[in-house]
Amino acid sequence: MTIISVQNLTFEYVRTAEDGTTKSYRAIDDISFDIEAGSFVAIVGRNGSGKSTLAKTLNGLLVPTSGRILVKDMDTADDNLIWDIRSKVGMVFQNPDNQIVSSIVEDDVAFGPENLGVPPEEIRKRVDDALKAVGMYKHRLKGAHMLSGGQKQRIAIAGAIAMRPECIIFDEPTAMLDPKGREKVMEIIRNLNEEGITTILITHFMEEAAQADRIIVMKNGQIYSDSTPEELYSNREKIRGAGLEMPPAVDLRERIAERGIEMPETIMTEDDLVDYIVEQRR
Ligand code: ADP
Ligand code: MG
């Protein structure tokens, strides 16, 4: 079943110069694709390729210049449906500091459901569940300013979860985190997807993208490639053409293969590599 359908989407920013003249800039150029409910889709591409613009059109923060986006058959250009759409498709951004709106952790997580008009007892339950899901329940009464970047990002994710969305879009959620914070956030994202939430992850870490079922590569506002991670990472030319790099574990696997030890192409992350080697030695 399709949850989001992108149909001939074009998005242009209008820039106003100092002399008052306007000029439009096409950030997304006539793209179409569907997102399957429950799937885990990564979106990658160089800076400026249109990833964030695309993300914002998917939950109606930006309205298409032409073409249309349907979220569960609801058109994002229809003002009357915008709250329904936002409650179905949540969004987590890169900078955790810009996403915290209340000084106390649990108030921050409650903000979304309060805006949706959820009854107070139900909010309590949703906030507690969401904080537990991101491993931050014991910090619920803390001041948000006391938390590390990774913890703040987990609170932002809890805020999205508390809206009980069917899909969450993560726009480079780990870009500002240290390796440990990054790992924890990725674990949460994988768990949410396993529980059935459709997951769209924009990332510049190829190792993170490798964990998805499908990778869409953007280039100059268009779709340059749309395939499984295995297909994408077996094509060095394609990776190079999009200005991207191989995941470190794939590089390592190929270097080892050059020395005569072949390993399955399904190995794409460090964890896969470690598991495989340990398994072989047992
Ligand atoms: P990405 O997330 O892949 O780095 P963006 O979607 O942020 O790409 O940007 C795509 C293009 O649109 C870039 O060329 C960027 O400069 C331009 N752009 C982004 N936001 C705006 C804006 N608010 N006004 C004008 N141009 C913008
Ligand atoms: Mg971006």
Side-chain angles (χ1 to χ4, degrees):
M1 193 185 73
T2 296
I3 181 162
I4 300 180
S5 181
V6 176
Q7 303 174 358
N8 300 103
L9 171 69
T10 292
F11 185 86
E12 292 177 353
Y13 288 103
V14 178
R15 292 170 176 170
T16 308
E18 275 176 16
D19 63 5
T21 57
T22 57
K23 214 169 122 186
S24 62
Y25 177 83
R26 185 169 288 200
I28 301 284
D29 186 11
D30 190 16
I31 67 174
S32 300
F33 62 92
D34 287 347
I35 302 269
E36 188 74 9
S39 64
F40 181 175
V41 180
I43 301 179
V44 301
R46 303 179 83 122
N47 278 341
S49 58
K51 305 181 298 296
S52 294
T53 304
L54 173 60
K56 288 178 198 150
T57 60
L58 295 181
N59 80 339
L61 284 173
L62 295 175
V63 175
T65 304
S66 66
R68 62 175 190 169
I69 296 181
L70 301 181
V71 174
K72 302 194 77 174
D73 294 325
M74 297 182 286
D75 192 325
T76 61
D78 185 340
D79 285 339
N80 298 317
L81 298 174
I82 201 65
W83 286 106
D84 271 340
I85 290 170
R86 299 256 173 92
S87 68
K88 296 273 184 283
V89 181
M91 189 102 162
V92 175
F93 296 96
Q94 180 179 114
N95 189 340
D97 286 316
N98 296 346
Q99 299 176 79
I100 306 285
V101 290
S102 306
S103 51
I104 302 296
V105 164
E106 64 175 14
D107 295 346
D108 194 78
V109 177
F111 184 79
E114 272 165 5
N115 273 327
L116 290 178
V118 175
E121 328 75 77
E122 168 72 12
I123 291 181
R124 179 75 259 162
K125 179 169 172 7
R126 287 191 183 195
V127 168
D128 289 351
D129 288 351
L131 284 167
K132 284 174 189 162
V134 299
M136 289 294 288
Y137 183 70
K138 65 171 186 280
H139 299 296
R140 66 191 177 283
L141 298 174
K142 278 205 179 140
H145 63 282
M146 311 265 293
L147 306 178
S148 70
Q151 289 176 321
K152 282 183 196 161
Q153 198 58 311
R154 282 150 66 186
I155 295 305
I157 296 172
I161 297 173
M163 315 257 290
R164 298 276 160 92
E166 292 179 31
C167 173
I168 303 181
I169 303 167
F170 299 88
D171 189 354
E172 305 211 24
T174 66
M176 302 181 78
L177 309 184
D178 61 20
K180 227 173 156 180
R182 222 147 66 201
E183 192 136 316
K184 184 71 198 166
V185 164
M186 278 308 295
E187 185 191 323
I188 292 165
I189 291 175
R190 282 193 306 271
N191 288 343
L192 289 174
N193 180 247
E194 269 158 30
E195 281 162 21
I197 294 186
T198 308
T199 305
I200 301 177
L201 172 67
I202 297 172
T203 181
H204 66 256
F205 294 107
M206 292 305 119
E207 173 117 355
E208 293 181 359
Q211 298 173 38
D213 314 321
R214 170 184 177 195
I215 303 180
I216 295 176
V217 183
M218 301 278 301
K219 187 178 176 183
N220 300 329
Q222 294 181 326
I223 293 179
Y224 175 76
S225 152
D226 183 350
S227 69
T228 62
E230 286 88 344
E231 277 163 24
L232 178 64
Y233 296 138
S234 63
N235 191 338
R236 250 174 211 282
E237 283 313 303
K238 197 142 228 180
I239 296 281
R240 210 172 292 134
L244 302 172
E245 290 181 349
M246 281 294 200
V250 174
D251 245 343
L252 208 50
R253 163 165 59 74
E254 292 187 352
R255 282 172 57 198
I256 294 170
E258 281 166 18
R259 305 273 290 270
I261 300 177
E262 295 281 349
M263 288 187 271
E265 285 194 358
T266 48
I267 295 173
M268 278 177 298
T269 66
E270 282 171 20
D271 282 343
D272 295 343
L273 195 59
V274 170
D275 287 348
Y276 181 79
I277 292 171
V278 168
E279 202 48 48
Q280 296 304 303
R281 299 285 299 178
R282 280 243 162 83

